[in-house]
Amino acid sequence: MSGAGRLVALDAARGLAVVGMYLQHFALNETNASIVSGNTTLLFVLCGGISYSIMAKRMMERNKEEAAEEKSFRTRMLARALFIDIVGYLLIMLNTPFGVILPAYAGLFVLALLLVRCSTRVLTITAAALLIISPPLMLLGGSYLSGAFLLRDIAGGPMSALALAPAFVAGMALGRIDLTKLRTALVLIGSGAILLAVSKLLEAFVLPELSRSFEEWLVSVQGTAYTPPDPYAIWPFNVDPPLWHMLFWTAPHSASTFQTMLGLGAALLALGLICLVSRLSTFVLQPFAAVGRVALTMYAAQFVVIWGLQLAGIEPGLGGIPFGDLLVAAVTLLTGWLIARLRNGPLEALMRRFDQAFYNSRQKPTEVIRA
């Protein structure tokens, strides 16, 4: 634990995810691509689910009036979801070549309110069920909700809330257990290693043949001729058919069951190792924890930097330069450490003021009535 009751390991894991995103966007190469591509997003979302559960528990324990405290938590989470959604759309307006997950992240904040009172067992079962159910549903959404922006953020394709939901709900379940215990770290390492190994074996020996057979079956059913939909036709005759062949992909950000399993395995393994290291010494984790404390600011900053570089006509890729990825990681850690020296990161501070404004406005009528 460190200031304000924060978990150093959780902040460090979130910071590691942000560093991985910077590597993916600024210094991707053959060496780090298999590590950071797609996996960093799932680690980031997993940490978000853990934080969500911890926030819910702490806010509901502050007051014996449990119902009132739950209402205040819901109010603040809805306000934070709105703030994150606005920031996400502002970043999308920059039109950088990389996807922005903040609208989907905001959707998860809202949808998770349905599960906040569920037991750890129910959360675990829900995460496992979503691992199977989410891929076909998000492919349907990617087709039939392609023209509805808000609904598309919730359930429309690999960057939607539904596609990221298995990792977030798994994080909510992990947020119910003590991450400072040695046993927890070892269980995370073991389960992550097993999930990662199973996913790699499936990717190497099962999925290629399964994917080929499934695609041949799709061709026999749908045919090879493709007729573009009429954009002036009524819904749903104006949308492209679902991309069912993606169900057996393992490519980054495909959000199939197998790609999510692979990313979750890597995320659990990384989180477990970080929790184990934090028991021995937190010194080595402090730079990553600093980035994790200002994760929203650091996440948004990379898109602003990419936008600025593109305006200047500069290609933001350092992957081909020797030790370019190490340079990007070092600059990211240094920048995060400098921003974290403030009381709060710029966007983190704005978000807290935003949700407090909604919370206080809800409280004032109650206070007047009581007076």
Side-chain angles (χ1 to χ4, degrees):
M1 309 291 288
S2 68
R6 300 186 67 96
L7 283 168
V8 175
L10 181 57
D11 281 336
R14 189 185 293 109
L16 179 64
V18 173
V19 171
M21 292 177 185
Y22 273 77
L23 290 176
Q24 183 177 349
H25 294 159
F26 292 98
L28 193 66
N29 55 41
E30 294 181 358
T31 304
N32 59 43
S34 61
I35 300 175
V36 300
S37 296
N39 296 334
T40 53
T41 298
L42 290 176
L43 177 58
F44 189 82
V45 173
L46 181 75
C47 292
I50 296 172
S51 297
Y52 197 91
S53 273
I54 293 174
M55 284 190 294
K57 181 179 179 181
R58 288 178 178 174
M59 290 186 69
M60 291 179 187
E61 286 179 348
R62 287 177 186 171
N63 198 317
K64 293 182 180 179
E65 298 177 7
E66 191 170 324
E69 204 61 28
E70 183 175 348
K71 287 181 181 179
S72 68
F73 173 76
R74 292 177 182 273
T75 301
R76 299 185 76 166
M77 290 304 103
L78 288 172
R80 290 192 178 197
L82 178 59
F83 180 86
I84 292 171
D85 205 31
I86 293 172
V87 173
Y89 276 110
L90 289 175
L91 295 178
I92 290 173
M93 287 173 61
L94 299 180
N95 201 29
T96 62
F98 303 108
V100 179
I101 66 167
L102 290 186
Y105 202 66
L108 288 170
F109 267 51
V110 178
L111 296 176
L113 291 174
L114 301 173
L115 300 172
V116 81
R117 301 292 297 173
C118 295
S119 65
T120 305
R121 177 177 293 181
V122 171
L123 289 175
T124 304
I125 294 173
T126 302
L130 286 171
L131 195 62
I132 300 172
I133 297 172
S134 291
L137 291 181
M138 67 91 181
L139 289 177
L140 279 173
S143 171
Y144 292 103
L145 304 179
S146 58
F149 292 100
L150 181 59
L151 295 177
R152 186 179 64 187
D153 292 336
I154 296 174
M159 297 293 284
S160 65
L162 185 61
L164 301 174
F168 193 87
V169 178
M172 290 180 68
L174 291 176
R176 303 289 184 83
I177 62 178
D178 190 351
L179 294 176
T180 63
K181 290 185 176 180
L182 175 61
R183 180 181 178 182
T184 301
L186 295 177
V187 169
L188 287 173
I189 292 172
S191 57
I194 292 172
L195 193 57
L196 190 60
V198 170
S199 302
K200 284 292 186 181
L201 289 173
L202 288 174
E203 181 182 20
F205 300 106
V206 178
L207 290 182
E209 179 62 27
L210 186 61
S211 179
R212 186 184 62 81
S213 300
F214 182 71
E215 289 182 10
E216 288 178 354
W217 177 80
L218 278 179
V219 169
S220 67
V221 173
Q222 299 178 347
T224 56
Y226 171 71
T227 304
D230 182 1
Y232 300 103
I234 60 172
W235 185 88
F237 303 109
N238 62 337
V239 299
D240 288 308
L243 303 176
W244 295 119
H245 60 282
M246 290 179 60
L247 286 173
F248 297 99
W249 280 13
T250 55
H253 298 295
S254 59
S256 69
T257 296
F258 307 99
Q259 190 266 325
T260 304
M261 284 175 56
L262 187 66
L264 264 179
L268 292 174
L269 180 60
L271 179 61
L273 290 173
I274 290 172
C275 289
L276 185 61
V277 171
S278 69
R279 289 185 54 84
L280 303 175
S281 172
T282 59
F283 177 78
V284 70
L285 298 178
Q286 288 302 330
F288 295 94
V291 176
R293 287 195 294 272
V294 292
L296 181 58
T297 297
M298 291 294 294
Y299 179 86
Q302 63 184 322
F303 293 95
V304 177
V305 171
I306 293 170
W307 173 71
L309 290 174
Q310 289 188 325
L311 278 181
I314 301 173
E315 182 64 32
L318 299 177
I321 299 175
F323 305 108
D325 47 0
L326 294 180
L327 176 61
V328 169
V331 172
T332 304
L333 291 172
L334 177 60
T335 304
W337 178 77
L338 291 173
I339 296 175
R341 290 178 65 85
L342 304 172
R343 184 175 181 181
N344 290 298
L347 285 182
E348 285 76 12
L350 283 174
M351 183 172 64
R352 289 185 181 182
R353 290 183 181 181
F354 190 82
D355 74 56
Q356 285 173 0
F358 277 82
Y359 175 70
N360 292 335
S361 66
R362 192 188 68 82
Q363 289 289 93
K364 285 180 181 179
T366 305
E367 292 172 359
V368 171
I369 292 172
R370 286 180 178 177

